Amino acid sequence: MFTGLVESVGQLSAVVEQPPGRRLVITAPSFRDDDPARDVKLGDSIAINGCCLTVVEIDGDKLSFEAGEETLSRTNLGELMAESTVNLERSLAVGDRMGGHYVTGHVDCVGQLIERIDDPPWANLKFSVPAPYPQQIVAKGSITVDGISLTVVDVGEDYFTVALIPHTLDATTLGRRRVGDRINLETDLLAKYVQRTLQFGNASDPPSAGNAGSSPNTPWSPQS
């Protein structure tokens, strides 16, 4: 679980083909400083552009990850090349301050930056969203863009917009994004459950004790 608050921008130092997947070697110096609390260990989960991957090797400030075929095809990680920059966030620790929103690190879809209006030092960005995911996006709600927790300004049938403050532009890869770039999207977890509930309504609600149709002494058995 993550928060969508990017801790560091790393750079790919190598992309190693390991069919059907790839190994991504990312330089992340800010994760390897003198503070033991910031130390990264083998097996740790780190969100890379919002996609949760596992640390499989550590060599100084270089962290290695293995991405499978589905991950590469369903996210923008498959488009990364050496020297590409990526947003990084370590998994949420129990007791940490929650500054963004709950992010699972499971990318729902890939959208595209279709409009950028710079109003220095701010910027307004418009992203396309494939169906059916716009149903899970609401104005003033949260969305994760390349691992960044953002507040939606406006949403349409196939797009949404955000307004980025200078800090977000400086501290993440969004400051470098250009029209046509593809970005990883994860909609709000709460929106998914709401949509699921509305989709099925009350038809699948379990019977209450008052209308279960069995006597109080009838043993309970799991429902299939």
Side-chain angles (χ1 to χ4, degrees):
M1 189 68 73
F2 305 89
T3 68
L5 298 184
V6 172
E7 295 182 277
S8 174
V9 173
Q11 184 176 56
L12 257 75
S13 57
V15 178
V16 182
E17 296 295 336
Q18 293 182 333
R22 288 177 187 166
R23 174 175 287 229
L24 306 177
V25 183
I26 298 175
T27 302
S30 62
F31 283 176
R32 303 289 299 176
D33 57 19
D34 294 332
D35 181 0
R38 293 182 61 82
D39 197 25
V40 176
K41 303 180 295 298
L42 285 177
D44 281 359
S45 295
I46 293 181
I48 303 172
N49 279 358
C51 181
C52 178
L53 294 181
T54 301
V55 179
V56 297
E57 185 178 352
I58 300 173
D59 181 11
D61 60 2
K62 290 182 173 60
L63 309 177
S64 294
F65 306 83
E66 292 174 337
E69 183 177 14
E70 182 171 353
T71 297
L72 295 172
S73 64
R74 296 176 65 89
T75 73
N76 63 15
L77 297 190
E79 304 167 11
L80 297 177
M81 301 177 294
E83 299 187 1
S84 294
T85 55
V86 290
N87 297 317
L88 302 174
E89 181 192 355
R90 292 168 304 153
S91 57
L92 180 65
V94 175
D96 278 359
R97 181 170 294 168
M98 186 72 186
H101 72 283
Y102 283 119
V103 176
T104 65
H106 301 156
V107 174
D108 291 308
C109 62
V110 175
Q112 188 174 49
L113 178 57
I114 56 177
E115 183 178 288
R116 176 175 181 138
I117 301 175
D118 288 298
D119 185 18
W122 292 62
N124 299 290
L125 276 58
K126 182 177 183 179
F127 298 98
S128 65
V129 189
Y133 297 102
Q135 300 175 37
Q136 300 171 359
I137 305 172
V138 297
K140 306 301 183 290
S142 296
I143 191 165
T144 309
V145 177
D146 272 350
I148 309 161
S149 174
L150 299 175
T151 299
V152 176
V153 174
D154 188 25
V155 61
E157 293 184 357
D158 59 358
Y159 74 89
F160 71 93
T161 64
V162 295
L164 302 184
I165 63 174
H167 175 76
T168 301
L169 294 170
D170 292 338
T172 73
T173 60
L174 284 184
R176 309 178 182 101
R177 286 298 193 182
R178 297 293 177 260
V179 172
D181 286 352
R182 285 159 40 91
I183 43 87
N184 293 331
L185 298 175
E186 181 185 333
T187 60
D188 188 18
L189 184 61
L190 178 60
K192 293 183 175 72
Y193 283 110
V194 170
Q195 183 184 36
R196 181 76 172 176
T197 300
L198 293 176
Q199 180 181 356
F200 289 95
N202 297 321
S204 59
D205 286 351
S208 64
N211 61 10
S214 59
S215 67
N217 296 323
T218 300
W220 178 87
S221 61
Q223 300 296 310
S224 60

